[in-house]
């Protein structure tokens, strides 16, 4: 089977790799360079905690693959299962955490509840005002700059053709499948996989499938290096948008942070997202609540990236509802990094076997049809 994959981020490169492993002849096309879109702008969080419950089976599948990534891809993508702690500062956050933990337990996610003394003993320096926390020991982080190129290189070794810097000019449904005309040539295949991220809704619309998607950019930052003392990824349970910060410390000592600041709107033409420096003070106040020491550290870089946010904050994933041979996997709403390997594996299974062991019904594209 010949397959064209549109979009060279984590979803697209993982899909291409797993399709090739199952015997497909794959052409992967990207409008820029591999892994330079939303993937590289990601925080690098590999978490299951707090996900919509319908995503947990896919998140479990993906976590297994993250654990196999170095051996599978032949490259260290810096996956570290250091755990994920979410701090709690008020009774509302505590109630939300306990309700979520109870609902997630039957779906295979066990969260440990930590009290004040346990936080201080196990994670000194974090959030002196926290009243409790959840801890998920098997989650962690990975390097957003490494994972998509690693999948792409592994896919290339399996025979995948990768076409970069290709502006898509036309997509046509033909008697035998699809014809994609680009600035780098024309490509034909039986199946088309739409992993175009924030641009995915535009492609879907060409086939009569409207998706309410907004393109936005997160505000991310990184500090100068500090002694490496913070192992887990750190987040928060909160009902207040301005408090929703998160951070992690990489092995080189830098602290990567995000959240709290409003996402900036992004024009898809040309699709460049720029961090807003006026939002940094509010963001840093929220981050300092989690890690007071960050108030005394220099910020060396901020950045953003173009992400697609669907109205219901769930991705679009699965078969097209209008066009045989068309498949979608886009709109992961800023929390697709952890899911990426699982998405690629699940899409390859669906395309090549016409079934998928992981439930995808909640992500179907026709959920937006007027009833």
């Amino acid at each position: 089977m010949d397959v064209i994959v549109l979009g060279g981020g984590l979803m697209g490169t993982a899909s291409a790799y797993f399709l090739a492993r199952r015997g497909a002849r794959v052409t992967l096309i990207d409008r820029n360079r591999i892994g330079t879109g939303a993937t590289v702008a990601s925080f690098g969080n590999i978490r299951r905690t707090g996900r919509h419950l319908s995503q947990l089976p896919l998140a479990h599948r993906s976590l297994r693959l993250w654990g196999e990534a170095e051996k599978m891809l032949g490259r260290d993508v810096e996956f570290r299962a250091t755990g994920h702690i979410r701090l709690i500062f008020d009774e509302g956050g505590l109630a939300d955490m306990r309700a979520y933990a109870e609902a997630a337990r039957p779906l295979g996610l066990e969260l440990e509840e930590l009290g004040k003394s346990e936080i201080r003993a196990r994670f000194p320096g974090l959030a002196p005002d926290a009243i409790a926390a959840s801890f998920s020991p098997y989650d962690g982080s990975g390097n957003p700059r490494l994972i998509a190129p690693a999948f792409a290189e592994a896919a290339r070794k399996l025979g995948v053709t990768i076409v970069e810097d290709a502006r898509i000019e036309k997509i046509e449904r033909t008697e035998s499948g699809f014809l994609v005309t680009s600035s780098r040539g024309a490509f034909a295949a039986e199946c088309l996989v739409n992993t175009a991220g924030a641009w995915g809704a535009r492609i879907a619309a060409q086939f009569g499938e409207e998706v309410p998607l907004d393109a936005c950019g997160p505000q991310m930052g990184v500090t100068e290096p500090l002694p490496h003392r913070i192992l887990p990824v750190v987040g928060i349970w909160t009902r207040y948008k301005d408090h929703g910060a998160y951070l992690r410390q990489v092995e080189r000592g830098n602290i990567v942070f995000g959240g709290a600041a409003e996402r900036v709107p992004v024009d898809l033409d040309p699709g460049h997202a720029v961090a807003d420096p006026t939002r940094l003070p509010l963001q840093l106040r929220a981050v300092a609540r989690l890690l007071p020491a960050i108030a005394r550290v220099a910020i060396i870089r901020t950045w953003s990236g173009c992400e697609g946010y669907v109205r219901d904050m769930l991705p679009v994933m699965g078969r097209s509802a209008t066009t045989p041979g068309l498949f979608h996997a886009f709109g992961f709403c800023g929390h697709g990094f952890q899911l990426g390997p699982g998405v690629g594996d699940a899409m390859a299974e669906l395309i090549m076997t016409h079934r998928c062991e992981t439930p995808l019904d909640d992500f179907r594209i026709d959920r937006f049809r007027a009833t």
Side-chain angles (χ1 to χ4, degrees), residues 10-274:
L10 176 52
M11 306 303 170
T13 55
S15 296
Y17 171 78
F18 286 111
L19 280 163
R21 279 213 334 192
R22 288 179 177 267
R25 296 175 296 275
V26 183
T27 301
L28 173 64
I29 306 173
D30 192 79
R31 65 193 296 272
N32 289 314
R33 306 291 290 178
I34 293 296
T36 58
T39 300
V40 78
S42 169
F43 172 67
N45 201 357
I46 297 175
R47 67 162 177 90
R48 295 166 297 162
T49 307
R51 288 195 174 278
H52 193 284
L53 296 177
S54 65
Q55 291 185 2
L56 282 178
L58 183 59
H60 295 323
R61 180 175 187 158
S62 198
L63 185 62
R64 291 193 296 271
L65 292 167
W66 274 108
E68 300 167 7
E70 183 172 0
K71 181 179 179 181
M72 180 172 65
L73 304 177
R75 183 187 302 187
D76 179 13
V77 295
E78 297 183 8
F79 168 62
R80 304 291 185 264
T82 53
H84 185 270
I85 185 171
R86 291 187 78 167
L87 298 157
I88 301 166
F89 293 88
D90 54 55
E91 293 299 326
L94 182 58
D96 290 346
M97 184 276 286
R98 287 174 172 168
Y100 181 84
E102 183 177 357
R105 190 173 298 112
L107 296 171
L109 178 61
E110 292 286 346
L111 295 181
E112 180 183 357
E113 182 177 328
L114 308 181
K116 284 184 179 181
S117 59
E118 292 170 291
I119 297 171
R120 310 294 176 269
R122 293 172 60 176
F123 307 105
L126 290 183
D129 297 330
I131 64 171
S134 68
F135 185 63
S136 178
Y138 302 110
D139 292 338
S141 63
N143 191 324
R145 294 181 174 275
L146 299 180
I147 186 62
F151 266 117
E153 182 58 29
R156 187 180 280 111
K157 291 177 180 177
L158 293 175
V160 172
T161 299
I162 297 178
V163 184
E164 298 178 286
D165 298 315
R167 185 181 69 257
I168 301 299
E169 298 170 347
K170 191 174 183 182
I171 304 173
E172 300 173 85
R173 184 75 170 90
T174 68
E175 290 185 1
S176 58
F178 297 86
L179 179 65
V180 176
T181 306
S182 80
S183 59
R184 300 291 301 275
F187 306 90
E190 299 165 57
C191 291
L192 180 68
V193 185
N194 172 16
T195 58
W199 291 264
R202 287 186 172 183
I203 293 172
Q206 295 182 44
F207 296 93
E209 299 182 292
E210 299 292 334
V211 176
L213 181 147
D214 296 314
C216 299
Q219 178 137 321
M220 308 299 302
V222 64
T223 73
E224 62 184 330
L226 295 173
H228 188 232
R229 294 173 180 165
I230 304 170
L231 289 178
V233 176
V234 182
I236 183 174
W237 290 98
T238 182
R239 298 175 180 179
Y240 304 101
K241 182 172 57 177
D242 289 348
H243 295 170
Y246 44 85
L247 65 92
R248 66 185 179 95
Q249 188 174 30
V250 302
E251 292 169 0
R252 293 170 291 281
N254 310 79
I255 294 172
V256 184
F257 61 88
E262 285 281 349
R263 302 180 186 100
V264 296
V266 178
D267 184 350
L268 288 177
D269 300 308
H272 298 309
V274 180

